[in-house]
Amino acid sequence: METLIAFLQQHSSILAILAIVFVFSYPAVALLFHHSKPSELPPGTLGWFPHLLQNLSFLAPHPSNSRGYFLEHNIQRYGPIFKCHLYGHPAIVSCDGDFNSFILQQEDRLVEVSYPSNVQRVLGDLSLLVVTGDLHKRLRGTLLNFFAGVKAPNSSFLAHIEENAVQVMLSWATKKTIKFCEESRKFTFGVLAKEALSLGPEDAAFIEMFHNFKSFIKGLASLPINIPGTAYAKAIHARHRIKVIMESLIQQREGRGEAKWDELKMDFLDVLLAHDHLSKEEIVSLVMDLLVGGQETTTMFIATVVKFLSDHPRALEQLRREHERVGDGRQLQWDDYKQMSFTQDVMKEALRCGNLIKFVCRKSIKPIHYKGFKIPVGWKIIPVFSGVHLDPSRYSNPEEFNPYRWQGDETRGHNGFTPFAGGKRLCPGNEFAKLETAVFLHHLVLNFSWTPLKDTDCPMSVPYLDFEHGFPIAIKRISPSD
């Protein structure tokens, strides 16, 4: 999730260059203490001079439906598993689907999560992304229980999702153009703020949290220089402000007493407060994990689907016909969602080409033996999902958006499709993200036509997913005669 490129564009000073060299160079001396024979390691380059260049190349922006120069160059030269320097450490980069799946299943046995320090400082020590062992299991279980309630017969999830989609689109009535990413972000944040905190767009806490989350997300992709004005410093401040708001909401709930507990009206915060085994710090972190992961990931997911559909009118028309057959103008039900088979194909293909999660970071805690290679203890291991999703040996014309490939044999029989990671750290809200996206698409394709205003504004891996210009589109409501 960390990128240097945005920082360099904004801060092209000597200080930035010195900071980059410092962050990515000082741990290289650790290489002197690794004693594995060169022949036991995957092929690659570990020299001192290419160290900084490898990091810059790995993090360089490129369209999300391409593997980028760094991966293409190294795969052609060394194969899908190779060694290099990344994030100040000797690392094994993998674009091998089988090895990636193996690593994802070895959490707490052979590997543990290991992200750069700036990610942990911004997210906090209790974030699900960085905690390990029993603490991760306990906190993740709490979040899974929340998402399990989506399909409960008395759940209001689906109704709230649809209500927020309609509300956002009603605001387009007098607009001819919109920045789609911003509108999608309003929708996803609105859904989660309602379910997690019972907040609506009119609430002051909602407005302040929405504003701060923008700075918070940008800080995840910044160099860890805590100087006023930098993205990193703004992110630290934004997290503090969000925490203050959360603590205020918790204090208000605790002041209401036992009369507040109505299971049919409980939001996520109520559920967390009902658990005696959770500290206030853990409650704040869990709500932030829900908002961070659920908002930005789903925002980019929806924007990516809409962008790819914009360039493929045949698929868009088929999707529109499918949605004309469900709902019949009434409130959507679970059975309607289950009928959206082509929508599922479109979403899977957008995930394959969009690569919401490009890679994850792990560290070996025991020697790893795989396909004749030996990876020493303490090495970074970076499974790159986009390297598998865009592998021409797995997919024909892999850079092409083609939802119809999911209706044939091409996508069967291999385990290389991991758009939401996997193993113990499979994104707990992945099904919820798909549901949100399908409901939003339902109302979009039935009521609007659109045209991208910048053909070159495509989903970019930087390495997190983003649109440089926010994906501006011209929007027009479809009349019944159309």
Side-chain angles (χ1 to χ4, degrees):
M1 297 187 298
E2 303 73 30
T3 180
L4 299 177
I5 304 305
F7 183 90
L8 288 174
Q9 290 173 339
Q10 298 174 21
H11 305 275
S12 56
S13 64
I14 297 298
L15 177 62
I17 299 299
L18 291 175
I20 294 169
V21 173
F22 173 75
V23 170
F24 288 118
S25 295
Y26 79 89
V29 71
L31 289 173
L32 299 175
F33 300 99
H34 291 286
H35 303 296
S36 291
K37 297 178 181 178
S39 60
E40 294 178 329
L41 288 166
T45 303
L46 288 175
W48 284 69
F49 179 71
H51 185 195
L52 178 59
L53 297 180
Q54 286 177 337
N55 282 277
L56 293 175
S57 181
F58 178 68
L59 296 168
H62 59 85
S64 70
N65 62 335
S66 73
R67 294 196 289 194
Y69 173 80
F70 176 86
L71 291 181
E72 290 290 359
H73 173 76
N74 282 284
I75 290 171
Q76 290 178 16
R77 189 172 181 183
Y78 304 118
I81 303 176
F82 56 91
K83 66 177 181 283
C84 64
H85 275 112
L86 287 177
Y87 298 114
H89 295 270
I92 302 298
V93 174
S94 171
C95 297
D96 182 288
D98 294 332
F99 184 56
N100 288 359
S101 296
F102 170 75
I103 291 298
L104 292 176
Q105 298 300 324
Q106 297 304 314
E107 182 90 17
D108 297 329
R109 291 194 289 265
L110 296 179
V111 301
E112 66 180 13
V113 67
S114 179
Y115 285 98
S117 59
N118 60 318
V119 173
Q120 184 165 339
R121 289 173 190 152
V122 175
L123 288 177
D125 293 336
L126 293 175
S127 171
L128 277 174
L129 190 66
V130 299
V131 295
T132 59
D134 291 340
L135 179 59
H136 175 263
K137 181 179 180 180
R138 179 165 61 86
L139 295 180
R140 176 180 164 81
T142 303
L143 204 55
L144 284 171
N145 288 336
F146 169 72
F147 285 115
V150 172
K151 297 183 180 180
N154 59 354
S155 171
S156 60
F157 272 86
L158 188 54
H160 286 166
I161 292 171
E162 189 167 21
E163 178 184 323
N164 274 275
V166 171
Q167 187 177 44
V168 168
M169 293 180 196
L170 283 175
S171 71
W172 302 347
T174 59
K175 299 178 181 178
K176 294 183 179 180
T177 64
I178 59 173
K179 280 197 172 183
F180 189 83
C181 289
E182 184 69 9
E183 299 300 310
S184 178
R185 192 171 284 113
K186 291 177 184 176
F187 163 67
T188 57
F189 191 80
V191 170
L192 290 169
K194 178 71 173 179
E195 295 297 334
L197 303 169
S198 298
L199 294 177
E202 70 284 353
D203 294 309
F206 177 101
I207 296 169
E208 187 174 358
M209 289 183 75
F210 182 70
H211 172 75
N212 278 286
F213 260 101
K214 294 179 185 178
S215 299
F216 181 76
I217 294 297
K218 289 181 180 179
L220 289 174
S222 64
L223 204 62
I225 301 177
N226 198 4
I227 299 174
T230 64
Y232 182 73
K234 290 179 180 178
I236 297 295
H237 177 72
R239 188 185 192 282
H240 173 72
R241 288 300 309 148
I242 295 168
K243 181 181 178 182
V244 169
I245 296 169
M246 286 292 307
E247 289 173 343
S248 175
L249 292 172
I250 290 173
Q251 188 175 18
Q252 292 173 25
R253 302 289 176 95
E254 290 177 335
R256 293 195 320 219
E258 295 298 325
K260 66 184 177 183
W261 303 119
D262 180 345
E263 290 189 3
L264 295 179
K265 297 180 180 180
M266 288 173 67
D267 57 26
F268 187 46
L269 182 56
D270 285 328
V271 172
L272 295 179
L273 289 171
H275 285 279
D276 294 333
H277 67 277
L278 292 172
S279 68
K280 288 185 180 179
E281 291 77 14
E282 290 171 340
I283 290 173
V284 170
S285 185
L286 278 168
V287 175
M288 289 191 67
D289 278 341
L290 176 66
L291 294 174
V292 172
Q295 183 208 9
E296 198 61 22
T297 301
T298 311
T299 292
M300 287 299 115
F301 184 14
I302 295 171
T304 300
V305 172
V306 173
K307 168 57 180 174
F308 287 137
L309 286 173
S310 304
D311 300 331
H312 295 82
R314 176 191 169 201
L316 174 57
E317 181 57 32
Q318 183 167 337
L319 186 75
R320 182 173 280 125
R321 289 200 303 269
E322 177 172 91
H323 284 269
E324 287 173 345
R325 295 192 295 268
V326 300
D328 297 326
R330 54 172 170 75
Q331 189 177 76
L332 289 172
Q333 306 295 323
W334 273 106
D335 287 342
D336 297 321
Y337 176 61
K338 293 176 183 177
Q339 293 177 34
M340 300 177 185
S341 58
F342 185 64
T343 303
Q344 294 292 334
D345 294 336
V346 168
M347 291 193 295
K348 283 186 284 190
E349 184 68 351
L351 288 168
R352 188 190 68 81
C353 292
N355 293 293
L356 294 172
I357 303 173
K358 180 180 177 179
F359 62 89
V360 293
C361 295
R362 300 291 182 264
K363 181 176 71 175
S364 57
I365 56 177
K366 292 182 180 179
I368 297 174
H369 299 265
Y370 189 85
K371 292 185 177 179
F373 299 137
K374 179 182 177 181
I375 302 172
V377 173
W379 278 53
K380 292 276 190 181
I381 301 175
I382 302 181
V384 183
F385 305 135
S386 62
V388 182
H389 295 165
L390 300 168
D391 183 352
S393 69
R394 287 177 176 262
Y395 301 98
S396 60
N397 301 315
E399 296 185 3
E400 176 187 346
F401 175 81
N402 176 18
Y404 301 99
R405 74 172 78 241
W406 296 94
Q407 300 172 1
D409 296 331
E410 179 181 350
T411 55
R412 297 171 187 160
H414 64 74
N415 60 0
F417 185 58
T418 50
F420 293 100
K424 292 182 179 180
R425 293 183 181 271
L426 174 68
C427 175
N430 69 89
E431 292 300 330
F432 187 57
K434 294 176 188 176
L435 176 64
E436 281 188 273
T437 302
V439 172
F440 193 90
L441 286 173
H442 175 76
H443 289 278
L444 179 67
V445 301
L446 291 182
N447 295 289
F448 293 92
S449 63
W450 66 90
T451 304
L453 295 178
K454 288 183 178 291
D455 291 336
T456 57
D457 196 21
C458 64
M460 297 288 292
S461 174
V462 293
Y464 64 95
L465 196 65
D466 199 10
F467 286 74
E468 181 181 1
H469 302 287
F471 188 28
I473 62 173
I475 197 86
K476 180 183 178 182
R477 179 171 286 278
I478 298 175
S479 64
S481 59
D482 294 336

